[in-house]
Amino acid sequence: MTLHVHPSEATSSAVLDEAHIGHIRGALGTIHHGDHGPRTSFKHRLQTLLAILGPGLIVMVGDNDAGAFGTYTQAGQNYGTSLLWTLLLLVPVLYVNQEMVLRLGAVTGVGHARLILERFGKFWGAFSVIDLFLLNALTIVTEFIGIALALSYLGVSRELGVALSAVVIMAAVSTGDFRRFERFALALCAGSLLLVPIFIMVHPPMTELARDMFVAQLPKDGKLSEVMLLIIAIVGTTIAPWQLFFQQSYVIDKRITPRFIRYERIDLWLGIVLVVIGAAAMMAFTAATFAGRPEFGNFVDAGAVAAGIGQYAGRLPGVLFALALIDASIIGASAVSLSTAYALGDVMSLKHSLHRKPADAKGFYGVYFALIVISAGLVLTPGAPLGLLTNAVQTLAGVLLPSATVFLLLLCNDDAVLGPWVNTRGMNLFTGAVVAVLVMLSIILTVSVLFPEATNETVILSILGGGVAVTFIVALVGGAFRRGKASSRRHTAKRHILDSWRMAPLDELPPPALSTASRVWMGALRAYLILAGGLVLTRIVMLALAH
C-alpha cells in the first residue's frame, strides 16, 4: 500500500474548492491552518473540541425533523412506548454510517457524490445525484408542512409564517461567513431541547419507559404488517441518504482534516445522544398524553399531536411542542437543502462553500434558494397533494437508502481513497449486515406501497426469511467470511502518518479493484433499484393524477 503523505494540508490537491482549505472557523472557536501542535492539556483539548463541534450535531439534530416528529409521535400515540427499543438498535447503525462519511470527508476533501462518480462511473454518479435531488426536494416540502402545522396550532398566519421561515432559512446561509451559519445551526440544535421540559411536565411513568427501552417487544394489539411499516418508517426517518452527503461535504467545508477525526467522532456521539433523547421524549410524552383517550391509536399528524398535548397536558406544553416542531423543520430544511447544493456543486465542479458569498458561488446558492422557494410555494398552493408528497418521501427513502449504504461501504474499503483509514474487517461485517437489513426493509416497504391489500404477516415473514437466506448465500459466494485483504488488515501506521494522510488528486487514482462480493452487490442493487424505483414512481404518478 502506498501512502501519500503530505506535510501540509494545503498540498492536498484532491480538494475541489480552494475555499475548503484554510483556518477552521467554527461557531465555538478557531484552529489556525498551520497549527500542528499536540493537544497535551485538558484545556487545549476542550478548546479544540469546541472549535470542531458542529457537523455531527447539525446532521443528527437535523435528522429529528418534521418527518421524525410525525413518525415518533405516531409510534407513541398508536402503540405507547412499546417501540422505544428500536431507538437503541439504531444507535450503532447511525454511528457507523456517519463515522464512515466523516472519515471520507476529512481524508479525501471530496464530496460523496463526486467520489461515487469518479470511482463507480457515470451511471451511478448520475443516479446518486438525481435520486438525492428528488428525495431531498420532497423532504424539504415536508419540512414546510411541519412549519405550517405548527403555525396553525399557534394561531399564526400560515402564509406569512411559511414565507418568513423560507426567508430566514435562505438568509442564514447567504452571508458568506461559515461561522455565522454554524452559530445559527447550533442555536437551532439547542432549541431541540424544548422537548425536554414537555417530557418533564407530562411526566410519563419512568419504570415503563425503562422496560420498553431495553426489552424488545411488539405491540400486543397491533397488526404485524402495520407495526412493521411503522418500524420501517422509524428506520427511514432516523437513517436518511441526505445525512451521508451532508456530513461529508460539511466536514470538508469546515476544513476538518484527518488529525481532527477523533474530535469529530465525539461531536457525532453528542449529536446521536440528542437524537435519541428527542425521539424517546416524543414517544414517551405522546404515549402518556393519549393513553386512555379517544385519540389513542388514531394518529393524524403532528399538528393534531400539538392540539392533543395542549388539551390534555396544558397550553404551555402544546406551545413548546409547536415551537420545537418549527425549530426542527427549519434546521431540517437548511441541512437537506445544503446536502443537495453540495452534491451538485461537487459533481458539476462548481464553487460550493459557505465561505463564499452568493455572488461568488451562484450555482451553489441558486440550487439552495430554488429548493426552498419551490418547496415553500408548494405548501402554500391550494389543493397541492401534500399527503401524497409526505408518503412519497417515506417510500423513496426506503427504496434508495440501501444504495447509499452500499456505496459508502465500497468507498470505505478503497485503498486509493482512504489508505490507512479504510474499514476494519469487523466494521465491514457489521455494515454488510446493516445493508442486508435495509434491503429487506426496503423490499417490504416497496411491496406494501405497490400491493397494499396483499401485504400481510405471511408476506412480511417470507421476505424476512428469504432475505436472510439470500444474504447468507451472497456472502458465501462473495467471500465475505474469508479473511479479506482490506477488511482484515491491521493498520500499523504511526499517528503522524494517519494525521497527515490525504487522498491523491482524483485524476491520479488507480481504478477501483472491486471484489466478487462487491460486483454481486452492485449488480443486484442496480436490478432492484431500476425495478422497484420505477414501479414506486409509477404508482406515485398514478396517485397524483387520480388526485
Side-chain angles (χ1 to χ4, degrees):
M1 179 180 63
T2 302
L3 297 182
H4 302 279
V5 180
H6 302 289
S8 167
E9 288 91 353
T11 64
S12 302
S13 53
V15 175
L16 299 177
D17 190 324
E18 61 184 13
H20 296 158
I21 299 173
H23 304 319
I24 296 174
R25 299 184 68 250
L28 304 177
T30 299
I31 300 174
H32 290 284
H33 181 54
D35 179 1
H36 300 287
R39 270 62 179 164
T40 55
S41 68
F42 174 79
K43 179 182 178 181
H44 201 180
R45 289 172 181 168
L46 179 60
Q47 289 174 333
T48 302
L49 176 61
L50 290 174
I52 295 298
L53 282 181
L57 281 168
I58 295 168
V59 75
M60 288 291 98
V61 176
D63 185 42
N64 265 2
D65 60 357
F69 267 60
T71 301
Y72 297 137
T73 55
Q74 180 182 359
Q77 183 173 342
N78 286 359
Y79 301 109
T81 55
S82 59
L83 294 178
L84 268 176
W85 55 272
T86 58
L87 301 177
L88 286 187
L89 286 184
L90 290 173
V91 167
V93 180
L94 273 174
Y95 176 76
V96 167
N97 274 4
Q98 297 306 130
E99 191 277 339
M100 284 194 285
V101 289
L102 77 85
R103 205 171 352 122
L104 280 170
V107 174
T108 67
V110 177
H112 202 62
R114 184 60 178 268
L115 283 179
I116 293 174
L117 173 68
E118 295 288 340
R119 304 305 285 165
F120 305 110
K122 293 180 180 179
F123 173 85
W124 288 115
F127 176 84
S128 67
V129 173
I130 292 171
D131 77 50
L132 182 74
F133 183 85
L134 290 174
L135 181 57
N136 284 3
L138 293 172
T139 302
I140 298 163
V141 172
T142 67
E143 309 297 2
F144 282 105
I145 293 174
I147 291 172
L149 291 173
L151 292 172
S152 296
Y153 173 74
L154 295 173
V156 177
S157 168
R158 184 168 170 270
E159 291 74 14
L160 178 61
V162 168
L164 285 177
S165 298
V167 170
V168 168
I169 293 168
M170 290 188 289
V173 304
S174 58
T175 64
D177 188 322
F178 183 94
R179 172 174 282 174
R180 286 181 188 167
F181 170 78
E182 189 162 86
R183 285 176 174 167
F184 167 78
L186 289 186
L188 293 175
C189 290
S192 69
L193 294 174
L194 287 171
L195 295 169
V196 174
I198 304 174
F199 178 90
I200 294 171
M201 285 184 276
V202 174
H203 53 82
M206 297 303 296
T207 304
E208 183 179 332
L209 295 185
R211 183 199 66 208
D212 291 341
M213 179 68 80
F214 296 103
V215 178
Q217 60 178 323
L218 294 178
K220 296 177 182 177
D221 300 325
K223 285 182 61 179
L224 178 60
S225 57
E226 294 176 357
V227 173
M228 278 300 301
L229 291 178
L230 184 55
I231 291 175
I232 294 170
I234 292 172
V235 173
T237 196
T238 308
I239 309 166
W242 71 263
Q243 296 170 260
L244 308 180
F245 291 84
F246 173 81
Q247 188 171 11
Q248 184 165 334
S249 291
Y250 194 83
V251 162
I252 295 166
D253 205 5
K254 191 164 182 178
R255 302 163 175 170
I256 293 174
T257 56
R259 65 193 307 267
F260 299 113
I261 285 178
R262 288 166 292 176
Y263 293 95
E264 182 50 35
R265 286 170 177 159
I266 297 173
D267 173 42
L268 176 58
W269 272 118
L270 291 173
I272 290 173
V273 169
L274 280 184
V275 161
V276 173
I277 288 174
M282 281 189 275
M283 278 195 200
F285 65 63
T286 307
T289 297
F290 293 104
R293 309 286 186 181
E295 294 89 349
F296 187 82
N298 298 299
F299 175 82
V300 178
D301 56 38
V305 170
I309 292 174
Q311 179 181 353
Y312 297 121
R315 176 66 177 171
L316 179 57
V319 169
L320 290 177
F321 182 82
L323 292 176
L325 176 55
I326 293 172
D327 177 273
S329 300
I330 290 176
I331 191 172
S334 301
V336 175
S337 300
L338 272 176
S339 75
T340 314
Y342 277 135
L344 287 172
D346 257 323
V347 170
M348 300 175 69
S349 298
L350 302 173
K351 294 178 180 178
H352 52 291
S353 173
L354 293 175
H355 294 283
R356 297 184 181 277
K357 293 184 179 296
D360 191 32
K362 296 182 180 67
F364 172 70
Y365 286 103
V367 170
Y368 184 93
F369 294 157
L371 284 169
I372 298 298
V373 170
I374 293 172
S375 300
L378 272 174
V379 172
L380 295 179
T381 301
L386 300 182
L388 176 62
L389 292 175
T390 302
N391 291 334
V393 169
Q394 177 182 321
T395 305
L396 285 176
V399 171
L400 300 174
L401 181 58
S403 67
T405 309
V406 166
F407 285 113
L408 177 58
L409 181 59
L410 294 177
L411 287 170
C412 286
N413 281 281
D414 192 331
D415 279 331
V417 171
L418 282 185
W421 289 98
V422 294
N423 279 0
T424 62
R425 186 184 184 210
M427 182 170 283
N428 282 338
L429 289 174
F430 179 81
T431 310
V434 169
V435 171
V437 171
L438 291 176
V439 169
M440 284 187 283
L441 295 179
S442 176
I443 292 172
I444 292 171
L445 181 60
T446 303
V447 170
S448 70
V449 171
L450 296 175
F451 312 105
E453 298 81 9
T455 305
N456 52 36
E457 287 83 352
T458 303
V459 172
I460 290 174
L461 293 175
S462 298
I463 292 172
L464 291 175
V468 171
V470 170
T471 300
F472 187 77
I473 293 170
V474 171
L476 284 176
V477 173
F481 298 124
R482 293 197 293 271
R483 197 167 177 77
K485 186 174 166 186
S487 62
S488 65
R489 182 174 59 237
R490 284 251 179 221
H491 299 295
T492 56
K494 294 182 179 179
R495 174 53 57 186
H496 74 276
I497 294 178
L498 286 172
D499 287 350
S500 59
W501 200 94
R502 301 301 299 274
M503 186 182 76
L506 290 170
D507 57 3
E508 295 179 14
L509 297 183
L514 295 176
S515 65
T516 303
S518 300
R519 295 183 188 280
V520 171
W521 270 111
M522 290 179 67
L525 182 66
R526 183 195 293 255
Y528 169 70
L529 288 173
I530 291 174
L531 177 61
L535 289 172
V536 170
L537 284 173
T538 300
R539 183 167 177 83
I540 290 172
V541 171
M542 290 174 64
L543 289 173
L545 292 175
H547 183 277

